Amino acid sequence: MTTARIALMVNGEKISAEVPARLNLADFVRDQLGLTGTHVGCEHGVCGACTMRVNGEIIRSCLTLAVQADGCAVETIEGLSDSGEIADLQAAFRERNALQCGYCTPGMLITAQDLLLKHADPERTEIREHLSGNYCRCTGYHAIVDAVERTAKARQRRP
Amino acid sequence: MKAPAFSYMRAESVEHALELLSRHGDAAKILSGGQSLLPALNLRLAAPAILIDIGRLDELRGIDLRDNVVTIGALTRHVDLLASEEILSSLPLLRQAAAHVAHPAIRNRGTIGGNLAHADPASEFPACMLALDARMVIRREDGERRVDARDFFRGIYETALEPCELLVAIEIPRPQSGSRTYFHEFVRRSGDYAMTGLAALAHLDGAQFADLRLSYFAIGDRPYLARATSHLVGVAITGERIAEAQAALDAELDPPDDQQASAAMRRHFARLLLSRCVANVLERPELAMEAVT
Ligand SMILES: Cc1cc2nc3c(=O)[nH]c(=O)nc-3n(C[C@H](O)[C@H](O)[C@H](O)COP(=O)(O)OP(=O)(O)OC[C@H]3O[C@@H](n4cnc5c(N)ncnc54)[C@H](O)[C@@H]3O)c2cc1C
Ligand code: FES
Ligand code: FES
């Protein structure tokens, strides 16, 4: 079959669609669902701009076929943003100037949130390690690491 | 770029996958985690007519320790290896290596079977398989065979697998207790493929090596077990012995010159890894200093 019918959850909404087998998940959400917050940089796994969550785990959506996501729960930056899950992280990015052009930002936010869910109080080297697969061509990373660190500290102070 | 068009088939069982493979042979490719295959398709370096997705075959997943052999299902992901208590206690070398394979989002999908079948010469796991004397369990429609790691890797992206065959598991003898491991790689960015790296397994007899397996990667067209260790086994280790072994290593290596690193740089890394490994395993840091090249 060069096309397939898939049914999946995207940001909590049931979606059913007919997709070409070769279509990747990034192009599926961008072109068929109009969710353009997921960015496409390199299309071979190197830059991290296309990072999403599938069944709670971060993945490269340029290296995942839409048919492979059949039956899965997919969360894009729109989902994480609209639910308020990362509102504090987004605010910290803004305050610390952790974005300039913003191309890498959706992937950075999702990857950073993945770390913070696993390690409430990461060292700076752990932050750098977890973000090592995400390229930023503007900021020099320092401000991004600061914003993630600040968010971690602020979350720990929360009752 | 975008992948070329292909047909997609989801295998319902291992038998089904094997049947599809024998029916379509060369025209088909197995899809596991897709973390090497999809980049190749997107870059149009490969254009198979059919992808056979085995990603949902839970029977190929998991880590099992029995009779001192660790069996790892082909679909076990890099992240599963990192999280496994069995791997940590029985095969610490594999756990050390897994932390250097790609980045978190890629480790969530990439599988050990796909990694070994892909056989990138700069990849960490193939070198570990050689150091650990692993065996590949390979199935085809009409049977099963086992191939030792040293016969499995045949060249750049080349293995002993036939087009109709599936790598289903890896069997690794658990190293005897008291064995030591060392893992290090030189990379430009954490998680990238190495410029040169070393996975090593050692058995000590007092202050001497009873056995030492130095398995290098990104040093040739496949992982490479150094012969120069013969200068180090069963003798009192001094800076001179290490220098001898480094010279022997230099003579037996023939590293490539490419955009990742020059041949001379790789030789330098290889010598350095040898002395650091020996110093680290013997817990004699001064040896690494004496033997600087
Ligand atoms: C940005 C980036 C960085 C990376 N860095 C590293 C790194 O530093 N070190 C490293 O080792 N790897 C690295 N990788 C590759 C990664 O480890 C892959 O997960 C792995 O090489 C392939 O596993 P997979 O399950 O994704 O296989 P797939 O991509 O699905 O398959 C790879 C190949 O193996 C074949 N195949 C898959 N499974 C089987 C099977 N069971 N039997 C027979 N054939 C099979 C496929 O047909 C295909 O030809 C990187 C990848 C990316 C995108
Ligand atoms: S677009 Fe997916 S990693 Fe670059
Ligand atoms: S802000 Fe421009 S790439 Fe990161």
Side-chain angles (χ1 to χ4, degrees), chain A residues 13-83:
Chain A
E13 206 178 310
K14 268 194 191 146
I15 305 277
S16 150
E18 182 81 20
V19 294
R22 69 180 187 127
L23 186 71
N24 68 44
L25 191 53
D27 289 338
F28 172 67
V29 302
R30 286 178 57 84
D31 300 342
Q32 296 207 10
L33 306 183
L35 297 170
T36 54
T38 298
H39 290 168
V40 174
C42 66
E43 301 190 310
H44 62 276
V46 177
C47 76
C50 67
T51 307
M52 279 185 198
R53 254 183 355 205
V54 171
N55 294 341
E57 295 178 310
I58 57 168
I59 56 108
R60 298 281 203 243
S61 61
C62 72
L63 299 187
T64 306
L65 298 173
V67 288
Q68 289 178 287
D70 183 29
C72 294
V74 172
E75 291 166 284
T76 66
I77 188 65
E78 288 87 350
L80 269 75
S81 189
D82 292 351
S83 70

Side-chain angles (χ1 to χ4, degrees), chain B residues 146-192:
Chain B
R146 283 171 168 71
V147 177
D148 289 335
R150 63 177 169 276
D151 303 320
F152 182 77
F153 301 103
R154 296 274 171 90
I156 302 174
Y157 307 138
E158 243 187 87
T159 68
L161 285 167
E162 307 270 348
C164 64
E165 290 182 321
L166 192 66
L167 175 61
V168 292
I170 302 102
E171 294 174 342
I172 307 178
R174 180 180 152 130
Q176 37 180 282
S177 64
S179 66
R180 309 276 179 96
T181 63
Y182 177 82
F183 185 94
H184 190 75
E185 65 178 36
F186 291 100
V187 279
R188 293 194 193 278
R189 173 179 77 149
S190 173
D192 281 356

Side-chain angles (χ1 to χ4, degrees), chain A residues 103-148:
Chain A
Y103 207 85
C104 69
T105 314
M108 285 290 179
L109 289 168
I110 294 184
T111 308
Q113 172 68 355
D114 181 63
L115 173 68
L116 294 177
L117 291 175
K118 292 189 183 111
H119 297 288
D121 188 19
E123 302 278 336
R124 288 180 75 86
T125 50
E126 286 174 295
I127 297 173
R128 285 188 180 273
E129 178 64 30
H130 208 78
L131 295 176
S132 66
N134 292 62
Y135 273 133
C136 176
R137 301 284 76 166
C138 303
T139 65
Y141 302 99
H142 199 85
I144 295 176
V145 178
D146 284 351
V148 177

Side-chain angles (χ1 to χ4, degrees), chain B residues 213-227:
Chain B
R213 294 169 74 85
L214 300 183
S215 183
Y216 283 93
F217 50 100
I219 201 77
D221 68 350
R222 67 195 86 175
Y224 182 77
L225 214 48
R227 289 190 300 266

